[in-house]
Amino acid sequence: MPIKFGSFCANEFKNNQTVRPHQLPIYATSSFEFETIEEGIDIFKGNKKGLVYGRYGNPTMETVARKIAAMETFDLDMTAKGIMTSSGMSAISTLFLSLLKSGDNVLTQGNLYGGTTELLKKVLAPCGIAPMFTDLQDLNQVEQLLRDNPAIRLLYFETPANPTMACVDIEQLCALAAKYNCLTAIDNTFCTPYLQQPFKYGADFIIHSTTKFLNGQGNSIAGVIIGRDLELMEKKVWVAMKLMGTNCNPFDAWLVNNGLKTLAIRMDRHSENAQQIAEYLEGHEKVARVNYNGLPSHPDHLIAKKQMRQFGGMLSFELADGLEAGLRFMNAIKLCTLAPTLGDVDTLVLHPASSSHINVDRDLRLKNGITDGLIRLSVGIEDVEDLIGDIDRAIG
Ligand SMILES: *Cc1c(COP(=O)(O)O)cnc(C)c1O
């Protein structure tokens, strides 16, 4: 009898109750075995739960998806299903394409994550799924649009939004959408469930770029979709994920799992550090404006306070001397890192006018509060005195 190479190792451990890894294993396998042909038929028919093929599901990804779903529903009287995807953008595109068809509209805000705006304009609109951009703080306007346009099937939003930390009222938006039989989805990347649980306020779906705070170490790209309607999640979202191949992979999921273990202490520290930096910046004569939800001077402080437990690590501020001051600051900063991501344990700094928004028309950019001297900080977990020292020196 020749040695059966594939199962040689696995068979020694299969059904062995003494092999119980303390850490989540990385299941590096493209498919899963069946014991008998009958078992295979049952699983394929959906009569029996079981793993089939890595693109459909894998224990590493499913463990992480379940953990994040459990966090989003923590202390709420409900259950939800999570599905991991290959990136935050694939979570968003998979959700849109699973819920919407040609002729449907998505109602959303102008200051979305840039990639999401582009996805709506460049990929969904040509497929006949038209986005409608409006000010989601104007609830009368939102209601009128929902009433006049029954083709709006999804209300999609972010709070707080990049880079001015503008907030929208999750509870009021979800109530309006429900009144007009429209689904709601929220990008909860900036907050994580530790700071904000949108299900509590009636959201139907939550997506995350786990690349950011949920992982926190800046070493993987992945996303997750969480939904309260288990049937929609199974029949629409999971089906779209497996057929479009937007699945996550075991290694990136495993990296997210490691990050989740420290989420609470990281978010506490991000929030404490950001609050102190915001207060320091607000008192600086060369700083014209500070956008941080934890400052009573922020226009949306009260909305943020209503739905967020703490105010998180994201803030932006405007240097009074404009573009030149912005560029000078970026080159003078030493401890903080110039990198176009966010949510890491390291403090990251971005100058939107010369990077993320360099191709956006200046007038449009200014209208959205992205001025020439605006600097965005993703505040890390370093010693806050060191950070303030670095920022102070760079402002000059
Ligand atoms: C980064 C980000 C995304 C996209 O996530 P990727 O993992 O880069 O695809 C979506 N929304 C927000 C708010 C983000 O910050």
Side-chain angles (χ1 to χ4, degrees):
M1 182 79 178
I3 294 169
K4 189 171 163 186
F5 185 72
S7 308
F8 182 66
C9 216
N11 278 339
E12 288 181 38
F13 297 109
K14 221 179 264 176
N15 304 322
N16 182 339
Q17 295 304 309
T18 63
V19 180
R20 278 173 280 169
H22 165 50
Q23 295 296 334
L24 174 66
I26 301 173
Y27 283 85
T29 181
S30 58
S31 68
F32 301 87
E33 298 180 357
F34 305 131
E35 207 67 61
T36 62
I37 186 66
E38 286 76 20
E39 186 190 24
I41 292 170
D42 277 349
I43 292 175
F44 264 109
K45 275 191 167 168
N47 295 338
K48 183 178 173 185
K49 282 228 175 279
L51 292 160
V52 177
Y53 188 59
R55 173 158 47 75
Y56 304 2
N58 167 301
T60 313
M61 279 102 87
E62 290 199 1
T63 301
V64 182
R66 275 185 215 174
K67 270 194 196 179
I68 300 172
M71 289 159 72
E72 284 290 7
T73 54
F74 181 72
D75 253 0
L76 306 179
D77 190 18
M78 62 177 289
T79 50
K81 179 177 169 62
I83 296 174
M84 285 207 78
T85 57
S86 57
S87 66
M89 284 314 300
S90 76
I92 299 166
S93 57
T94 302
L95 185 68
F96 285 167
L97 290 169
S98 61
L99 299 178
L100 304 166
K101 61 180 188 317
S102 175
D104 291 345
N105 290 150
V106 184
L107 181 60
T108 189
Q109 66 206 54
N111 54 348
L112 286 174
Y113 175 73
T116 310
T117 307
E118 278 194 69
L119 170 74
L120 286 164
K121 288 185 175 168
K122 296 182 180 168
V123 181
L124 282 132
C127 294
I129 302 165
M132 294 170 72
F133 296 96
T134 192
D135 174 6
L136 296 182
Q137 287 188 334
D138 184 346
L139 295 170
N140 290 329
Q141 169 84 357
V142 171
E143 173 144 30
Q144 197 176 331
L145 286 167
L146 286 167
R147 193 192 306 122
D148 296 346
N149 301 279
I152 299 173
R153 303 300 308 141
L154 181 67
L155 176 61
Y156 180 84
F157 53 95
E158 283 174 28
T159 181
N162 206 14
T164 58
M165 305 302 130
C167 294
V168 292
D169 190 314
I170 306 172
E171 189 170 31
Q172 299 209 39
L173 285 174
C174 290
L176 273 181
K179 188 170 161 191
Y180 294 93
N181 212 13
C182 169
L183 292 169
T184 48
I186 174 169
D187 181 336
N188 203 26
T189 301
F190 276 24
C191 287
T192 80
Y194 187 67
L195 299 188
Q196 176 171 280
Q197 287 174 280
F199 284 143
K200 192 168 159 187
Y201 305 105
D204 294 305
F205 295 94
I206 298 168
I207 71 94
H208 287 276
S209 167
T210 65
T211 310
K212 315 292 170 54
F213 289 102
L214 285 174
N215 176 317
Q217 332 290 313
N219 58 15
S220 81
I221 297 265
V224 68
I225 306 167
I226 307 125
R228 69 194 312 154
D229 183 331
L230 305 183
E231 196 172 319
L232 261 184
M233 286 301 285
E234 294 274 358
K235 299 218 165 114
K236 294 273 189 185
V237 183
W238 178 73
V239 170
M241 182 283 290
K242 78 165 184 171
L243 294 176
M244 295 195 296
T246 48
N247 55 287
C248 187
N249 69 80
F251 184 57
D252 282 289
W254 182 81
L255 290 166
V256 175
N257 187 63
N258 284 346
L260 291 179
K261 297 170 194 230
T262 56
L263 182 69
I265 52 173
R266 283 189 288 110
M267 295 313 286
D268 287 344
R269 182 70 173 248
H270 283 300
S271 301
E272 279 164 32
N273 280 0
Q275 182 75 35
Q276 286 195 48
I277 291 171
E279 284 169 11
Y280 150 80
L281 287 167
E282 199 167 46
H284 200 296
E285 56 172 7
K286 290 188 182 169
V287 175
R289 193 162 51 101
V290 185
N291 303 308
Y292 184 61
N293 294 130
L295 294 176
S297 62
H298 192 283
D300 303 330
H301 176 65
L302 291 179
I303 305 179
K305 209 169 158 176
K306 171 184 168 188
Q307 56 201 20
M308 292 169 72
R309 287 189 193 93
Q310 297 177 69
F311 300 104
M314 301 302 299
L315 65 87
S316 64
F317 62 99
E318 193 182 320
L319 290 168
D321 294 335
L323 190 62
E324 205 194 315
L327 296 175
R328 206 175 336 111
F329 176 88
M330 294 299 283
N331 279 330
I333 204 97
K334 289 250 165 20
L335 181 61
C336 307
T337 307
L338 276 61
T341 185
L342 59 95
D344 288 6
V345 290
D346 313 304
T347 297
L348 306 170
V349 54
L350 184 86
H351 179 231
S354 68
S355 58
S356 57
H357 290 70
I358 197 161
N359 293 321
V360 178
D361 181 64
R362 185 165 181 269
D363 286 341
L364 186 66
R365 171 160 72 69
L366 293 179
K367 218 181 101 204
N368 281 314
I370 303 158
T371 51
D372 293 338
L374 192 79
I375 304 282
R376 186 190 78 182
L377 275 185
S378 169
V379 178
I381 64 167
E382 301 95 331
D383 184 295
V384 73
E385 293 304 325
D386 290 346
L387 290 173
I388 290 176
D390 192 37
I391 294 166
D392 193 66
R393 210 183 24 73
I395 294 177

